[in-house]
Amino acid sequence: MPGRAEGGASRRPLLGAFLATLAILTVTAPAYAGPLPAGFVRLADVDPTIRQDIRYAGRENFLRRKVDGYDAPACILTTQAAKALSSVQKTMTAKGLTLVVFDCYRPARAVADMVRWTREGGPPDPQWYPTVRRGDLIAKGYVGELSSHSRGSTVDLAIADATSSVHPACGAPDGTTLDFGTGFDCFDPMSETAHRPLPAEAAADRKMLLAAMHAAGFRNYAREWWHFTLAKEPFPKQRFDFPVTAD
C-alpha cells in the first residue's frame, strides 16, 4: 500500500504536466482553423473589386473534384502580395478590365492531395492534359510535389472583361476572360508564357498581363502564363497548411 501510494504521488506531477501540455495544444490549434496566421489577409478585405473564381474549391479543375484544404472559394494571400495585386487591379480597371484569380494561397495538404491523385494513374484528359498521362504530370513539371502557392505570395490569374466570350479547348472554361490561347491549368506546352505560334490577340493579352504583373513586383513561372509569385515574398522558405476558409 505505501509503495502504491508513493507511486501514485510520483505520477501526479507527470499527469499535471501532461494535462497542461494538452491544454496548451487545445488553445493553440484552432489558430489555423479560424483567424489567419500573422501576415496573411483575405483578398476581398484588401480589394473586393478583384473577381474570384477559386477552382480547387469546386469540381471545375483537373482533379474534377474539390481539393483537400479548400473549405471555401476564397483567395488568401500574404498582405504584401494582396496589396501588390490591388495595384495591378487599378491598372486594369483604368482600361475597363478586371483581374480574375483562380488560385492564391494553397495549403500543403492540397498539394499532397494533388500528388496522391497523380499517382493513381490514368490516360490523358482532353480538357486538362491532352497529351500527357496522369501519372506523368509530376515528371513533366505540370504538378509539383512542393508548391510556391503554399508560401502565400503566389497567384494564378487572368484578365477579364464584360464582353469576351472565350471557350478554350484546353484548361478551365471561362466565358469572360480575354483570349490567352489556353485556359487556366491547361497542362500542355501551349501554356508556356512565351509559346509560339499563338494567335496575335492571345500573344498580346499574355504580354499585357506579364507587363502589369512585373510592374507590381511579381515574377512569372515560364511554364504557365497565369502563374506569378511576388519577387520579395515575406515567407520564401516557409510553407503553410491552414485551410482556405471564408472567415
Side-chain angles (χ1 to χ4, degrees):
M1 291 296 293
R4 183 178 299 177
E6 291 171 1
S10 65
R11 282 193 289 268
R12 288 192 193 105
L14 295 176
L15 178 60
F18 171 76
L19 291 176
T21 302
L22 183 61
I24 292 172
L25 291 174
T26 302
V27 169
T28 58
Y32 288 96
L36 298 178
F40 283 81
V41 294
R42 291 181 174 83
L43 180 61
D45 293 334
V46 174
D47 194 329
T49 70
I50 297 175
R51 202 175 107 207
Q52 298 191 29
D53 187 7
I54 308 302
R55 292 303 178 114
Y56 300 139
R59 301 177 60 87
E60 197 64 70
N61 60 66
F62 67 92
L63 281 76
R64 298 184 181 274
R65 61 167 173 80
K66 187 180 85 67
V67 180
D68 285 356
Y70 286 83
D71 297 342
C75 174
I76 296 171
L77 290 168
T78 61
T79 303
Q80 294 92 325
K83 289 181 177 179
L85 201 61
S86 182
S87 73
V88 180
Q89 177 71 346
K90 289 178 175 61
T91 300
M92 293 299 117
T93 54
K95 300 178 180 180
L97 303 169
T98 184
L99 295 177
V100 52
V101 294
F102 301 119
D103 192 33
C104 301
Y105 157 73
R106 182 184 305 167
R109 72 191 74 179
V111 179
D113 188 18
M114 292 176 180
V115 170
R116 285 193 302 269
W117 172 87
T118 64
R119 291 174 178 161
E120 294 173 4
D125 183 320
Q127 180 179 353
W128 301 100
Y129 40 100
T131 62
V132 183
R133 295 182 62 83
R134 186 198 296 192
D136 294 331
L137 288 172
I138 291 178
K140 295 291 185 180
Y142 294 118
V143 174
E145 294 182 282
L146 296 174
S147 175
S148 62
H149 281 277
S150 299
R151 303 196 299 261
S153 295
T154 293
V155 60
D156 294 333
L157 78 170
I159 302 169
D161 67 13
T163 61
S164 296
S165 183
V166 177
H167 299 281
C170 177
D174 191 308
T176 62
T177 61
L178 303 184
D179 184 2
F180 288 91
T182 76
F184 161 64
D185 266 1
C186 172
F187 297 146
D188 188 86
M190 292 186 301
S191 294
E192 295 173 4
T193 306
H195 178 79
R196 297 293 184 272
L198 278 177
E201 184 178 352
D205 290 339
R206 289 190 187 189
K207 183 178 179 180
M208 176 171 59
L209 177 62
L210 190 66
M213 294 296 284
H214 278 179
F218 289 90
R219 63 179 185 271
N220 174 245
Y221 173 49
R223 297 288 299 275
E224 300 172 348
W225 60 259
W226 57 80
H227 179 116
F228 293 85
T229 299
L230 190 67
K232 296 181 179 180
E233 57 182 314
F235 304 110
K237 296 182 179 180
Q238 188 172 354
R239 289 178 170 81
F240 296 84
D241 193 35
F242 60 91
V244 175
T245 57
D247 50 34

